[in-house]
Amino acid sequence: MLKISKNHGNLVDKLETDIEAICSEIEALRRERQQLSIGAIAPVGDSPQALADAYRRHARETAEVSAEVKGIDDAIAALSAQLNQKQQQSIKLQRISPMEEQVEEGRTLARGHAERINELAGELAAEVKGLKAIADQISPSYWQVYYKPFITGFKSISVPYVRSDGDVWTIVNRVV
């Protein structure tokens, strides 16, 4: 139980650390965005050439700043989506009780054992069928040599098999 509760706590702590890191990054990006501003056009002279050059320079500067602002806005949007996802995971983890987590971890372990049992049952069934084939082949001769059966009990040989409907697990015996 301690291992499970400790694991549950570690997951919640990691999510909280991730959430704090995302929040601080979003805040840093917002501060950076506020510092970026597009200044007013400042023509250097009264000549038409000076005015045109001022507008061109302003357009170049505005394009760079606008692209940077757009990049920051996109980063904030992506981080906000990630923050929302992490917060939802944190809420979900906090709702799961240690007992529920223990049950889920136990089900996972049981699933592994059940799969191994079913694998071994398949191998055992194949071995039993092989032995039965040999017994069927030599039994008539064995009777003639030793006056008794070679092997008995094949009518009731079964192997365990685990199945589940999702909630309830059942161990049944499959006749080989």
Side-chain angles (χ1 to χ4, degrees):
M1 178 78 173
L2 178 61
K3 175 186 162 197
I4 293 168
S5 297
K6 186 176 179 182
N7 186 30
H8 185 265
N10 288 342
L11 290 174
V12 171
D13 291 343
K14 182 182 178 337
L15 278 172
E16 292 301 321
T17 303
D18 291 349
I19 288 170
E20 289 173 16
I22 292 169
C23 286
S24 88
E25 187 62 31
I26 289 173
E27 188 57 37
L29 286 169
R30 286 186 177 145
R31 283 192 304 271
E32 183 180 346
R33 189 185 190 292
Q34 285 176 346
Q35 292 174 354
L36 293 174
S37 63
I38 299 172
I41 299 174
V44 179
D46 291 336
S47 74
Q49 184 64 37
L51 190 58
D53 288 344
Y55 273 96
R56 284 187 185 119
R57 186 176 50 256
H58 185 266
R60 279 191 299 274
E61 291 171 2
T62 302
E64 289 176 20
V65 171
S66 293
E68 195 168 345
V69 167
K70 170 90 168 87
I72 289 172
D73 287 345
D74 290 348
I76 289 172
L79 286 171
S80 294
Q82 190 177 24
L83 176 64
N84 188 32
Q85 179 187 14
K86 296 280 185 183
Q87 287 172 333
Q88 294 301 320
Q89 287 176 343
S90 179
I91 289 168
K92 184 179 177 184
L93 269 179
Q94 289 173 359
R95 276 193 234 150
I96 295 175
S97 72
M99 185 180 294
E100 287 174 309
E101 186 174 346
Q102 182 180 14
V103 167
E104 287 306 312
E105 189 170 306
R107 284 177 63 170
T108 301
L109 291 172
R111 187 174 295 112
H113 287 290
E115 288 171 0
R116 180 70 178 135
I117 286 169
N118 290 343
E119 180 183 317
L120 290 171
E123 292 176 21
L124 183 59
E127 294 296 325
V128 167
K129 287 177 183 177
L131 179 60
K132 185 173 184 331
I134 292 170
D136 289 345
Q137 181 182 2
I138 67 167
S139 281
S141 301
Y142 197 84
W143 268 104
Q144 290 176 356
V145 173
Y146 295 105
Y147 305 109
K148 53 184 156 188
F150 176 60
I151 297 178
T152 61
F154 274 115
K155 292 179 184 175
S156 62
I157 297 294
S158 62
V159 294
Y161 180 79
V162 182
R163 65 179 180 213
S164 171
D165 66 358
D167 293 325
V168 178
W169 291 35
T170 307
I171 299 177
V172 296
N173 290 318
R174 287 194 168 168
V175 176
V176 178

